[in-house]
Amino acid sequence: SMYNFTTNTYQMKRDIINFSKKICIDSGKPQNKFVTDMIYGISKSKDILLSSIADALDEDIKKINTIERLSDNLAFDIDSSIDDKYCNLVMDSLGDNPVFLVDDSDVIKPLGQKFENLGIVRDGSSKKKSYEKGYHHTEIVGLTKNMKQPISIFSKIHSSTQKDFVSANSITYEGLDKVISLLNKKNLKGSFVLDRGYDSNDIFNYFFSKNQYFTIRLTERRKVYCNHRWNKITILRDSFKGKIKMKLMFQGEEKECFASVTRVQITAKKKWINVIFVYGLGDTPMMIASNIPIKSKEDVIKTIRLYMKRWRIEEYFKFKKQEYHFENFRVRTLKSINNLNKMLTYTIGLIALLSEKIGKREFVNEIIKQSKSLKDNVYLWFYQIARGIYNILKMAKNGIRDWKHIRKQKVYDGQLSLL
């Protein structure tokens, strides 16, 4: 019914405004307005092109003026208190045993001429893994407590051609430092999951020094200390058979596999850790190193499952690129690109927080219904929620402009607060 549309669009705008208010509470009105405009515009257009966002905002001025205003805002520093508030919301959604996935991706700009510091990156999604013009993209996401949805806490687009560029690793450490300082504030210990691209003594020593849990996939080059001598990890791997039987979801199908675990010492610090070998998933067994205490068979299985959650960050990258055409941005300076990325991060952050309420909040179930999706049960709820929001806001007759000052009554506060 028409009534349903209007209440849905009303509620959706309401949620976006409340979310923006929450993260912009310590910054001025112009920033709050800009952030609200961006989150609304990106949600409504499912796009990050400023012209699409301007269309979605539907202001009664020339479209070019809206585009210029957004573009000017992206060129300036965004108040750092906004990110602090956003990160606090994220941390609250992760529960007491937070899991973080760390990964690198690339943003390919094959035809880019005018982009600042455009570097050369390996195109991970091309068949030939060819080199293309583009940027590196370093991301750390947490997994929400209930639905295990990826929610970003650190996202940076950078280039090896920047003047002050040290190494991709320095960006990784910048992100890890940020997450760990948030953990320390809450007096929590995190579990960090990393792919074999991060198998280095530096990374192991870093996690030991910061007193955090890690689960890292090892490369075949890795050497470990075992039975009073240094061995190549592959020699160890081939000496085990895999006694622990388990089922794992792998590339969309359930596979039966076998695991073995052994204690080894690693790196110059000679710290003891567990190495788990998983046989039967691919052509070569998977090797995972972790300092999470393992006391039982169940602990082994838990640690392997934890590592397998890593694909959720790859899904996150894919979602950003597919649903919002992230690689298609037109802003040209690295600062603008990163600010645009931030606005998209907040938009997807709102989606992750909404998906935590699936089954618990009527309106979120309504959003999923509006997405008109066929599959009921999914691992990543983002596509359904993003499409649901898009379908709901399609019906909105006017932008979000007249909305920002409405309903100051205190009566509703309790029941209508967003999260």
Side-chain angles (χ1 to χ4, degrees):
S1 69
M2 198 56 225
Y3 167 75
N4 227 2
F5 284 141
T6 48
T7 48
N8 281 348
T9 49
Y10 173 87
Q11 188 60 60
M12 198 58 244
K13 287 179 176 179
R14 183 78 183 235
D15 274 15
I16 289 171
I17 284 165
N18 284 344
F19 176 69
S20 302
K21 258 197 205 132
K22 236 175 216 179
I23 62 177
C24 296
I25 196 153
D26 290 340
S27 57
K29 271 216 173 105
Q31 292 257 295
N32 187 353
K33 178 179 168 311
F34 168 63
V35 171
T36 310
D37 282 349
M38 289 299 289
I39 294 175
Y40 178 78
I42 292 170
S43 303
K44 183 174 175 181
S45 63
K46 272 211 306 120
D47 203 356
I48 46 83
L49 279 183
L50 296 186
S51 55
S52 308
I53 293 170
D55 278 338
L57 288 172
D58 200 18
E59 298 179 338
D60 37 17
I61 52 173
K62 283 207 179 84
K63 182 172 149 184
I64 185 75
N65 298 358
T66 304
I67 293 174
E68 274 172 5
R69 186 186 81 240
L70 297 174
S71 175
D72 290 347
N73 269 292
L74 287 173
F76 292 114
D77 282 327
I78 289 173
D79 187 344
S80 64
S81 74
I82 297 178
D83 206 59
D84 297 342
K85 290 280 175 291
Y86 165 78
C87 286
N88 291 337
L89 274 185
V90 172
M91 291 301 289
D92 289 344
S93 75
L94 304 180
D96 292 338
N97 297 304
V99 171
F100 299 96
L101 316 176
V102 184
D103 205 2
D104 255 9
S105 178
D106 40 60
V107 177
I108 304 298
K109 285 288 192 193
L111 305 171
Q113 297 297 330
K114 305 270 193 318
F115 295 96
E116 181 186 13
N117 289 324
L118 201 56
I120 298 292
V121 294
R122 230 170 114 186
D123 183 358
S125 49
S126 81
K127 289 277 178 286
K128 296 201 212 46
K129 300 267 183 267
S130 55
Y131 286 85
E132 289 278 9
K133 284 194 277 195
Y135 296 108
H136 295 291
H137 180 178
T138 300
E139 190 93 39
I140 302 179
V141 301
L143 290 180
T144 58
K145 189 174 141 210
N146 304 322
M147 306 303 280
K148 308 285 181 252
Q149 301 297 293
I151 185 165
S152 174
I153 229 168
F154 177 82
S155 186
K156 192 161 186 176
I157 291 170
H158 49 102
S159 163
S160 46
T161 60
Q162 278 163 268
K163 280 190 201 60
D164 50 0
F165 184 78
V166 191
S167 70
N169 278 354
S170 64
I171 310 281
T172 304
Y173 290 125
E174 181 191 329
L176 290 170
D177 285 346
K178 174 182 178 181
V179 173
I180 290 169
S181 77
L182 289 161
L183 283 167
N184 291 341
K185 267 191 211 125
K186 287 178 80 93
N187 228 335
L188 292 173
K189 194 164 167 168
S191 297
F192 292 82
V193 180
L194 301 95
D195 196 9
R196 52 191 159 190
Y198 296 92
D199 172 6
S200 76
N201 289 346
D202 277 352
I203 286 268
F204 286 114
N205 289 336
Y206 175 87
F207 284 121
F208 284 130
S209 70
K210 299 285 186 193
N211 191 25
Q212 299 292 329
Y213 289 129
F214 59 77
T215 302
I216 300 177
R217 187 168 173 190
L218 300 176
T219 63
E220 306 215 324
R221 293 191 309 274
R222 164 62 47 196
K223 284 194 163 70
V224 291
Y225 193 75
C226 185
N227 306 331
H228 311 295
R229 62 162 186 257
W230 289 95
N231 264 326
K232 256 186 96 173
I233 190 80
T234 45
I235 294 177
L236 263 185
R237 175 192 72 190
D238 299 339
S239 67
F240 284 92
K241 289 286 173 285
K243 288 209 168 70
I244 302 168
K245 191 164 131 181
M246 62 184 294
K247 284 197 164 75
L248 271 185
M249 281 303 284
F250 183 67
Q251 293 171 346
E253 51 178 318
E254 198 172 49
K255 283 199 156 181
E256 188 169 76
C257 53
F258 299 87
S260 286
V261 63
T262 184
R263 300 277 286 159
V264 301
Q265 283 173 308
I266 198 157
T267 76
K269 288 211 175 28
K270 289 272 186 75
K271 294 270 195 190
W272 286 95
I273 57 165
N274 298 306
V275 173
I276 300 173
F277 302 109
V278 187
Y279 304 88
L281 276 188
D283 301 336
T284 57
M286 199 158 72
M287 308 178 289
I288 302 165
S290 182
N291 61 343
I292 296 174
I294 287 183
K295 306 233 175 11
S296 65
K297 213 160 84 171
E298 286 69 47
D299 289 347
V300 176
I301 294 174
K302 253 202 309 284
T303 309
I304 297 170
R305 289 230 157 96
L306 178 68
Y307 178 76
M308 297 307 280
K309 292 207 165 68
R310 209 199 66 76
W311 66 270
R312 288 178 186 230
I313 190 166
E314 294 187 1
E315 282 288 325
Y316 181 87
F317 284 131
K318 198 166 122 195
F319 173 74
K320 254 173 119 161
K321 289 174 181 179
Q322 275 186 4
E323 266 331 78
Y324 296 97
H325 319 116
F326 180 64
E327 288 186 300
N328 196 20
F329 57 75
R330 300 276 193 277
V331 293
R332 292 185 175 154
T333 66
L334 267 170
K335 177 176 267 182
S336 292
I337 294 167
N338 270 301
N339 282 338
L340 181 61
N341 181 42
K342 228 179 207 135
M343 295 302 127
L344 178 55
T345 297
Y346 297 159
T347 307
I348 302 175
L350 171 60
I351 290 177
L353 293 172
L354 285 168
S355 54
E356 272 301 85
K357 304 277 182 207
I358 291 171
K360 297 196 178 102
R361 183 176 166 216
E362 201 31 60
F363 181 58
V364 177
N365 302 344
E366 179 62 24
I367 294 176
I368 288 172
K369 209 171 93 191
Q370 291 298 327
S371 75
K372 312 209 181 347
S373 301
L374 299 171
K375 269 164 82 178
D376 277 346
N377 204 351
V378 286
Y379 285 113
L380 191 75
W381 287 98
F382 286 7
Y383 291 95
Q384 296 200 5
I385 291 182
R387 282 166 197 172
I389 291 173
Y390 170 78
N391 287 338
I392 287 171
L393 291 178
K394 241 186 353 209
M395 298 299 168
K397 286 285 173 283
N398 44 11
I400 200 156
R401 176 45 61 75
D402 355 330
W403 267 74
K404 294 181 185 144
H405 314 295
I406 117 186
R407 302 275 163 142
K408 287 262 159 48
Q409 298 133 300
K410 280 280 171 267
V411 196
Y412 295 101
D413 259 23
Q415 73 203 58
L416 281 174
S417 70
L418 167 58
L419 299 164

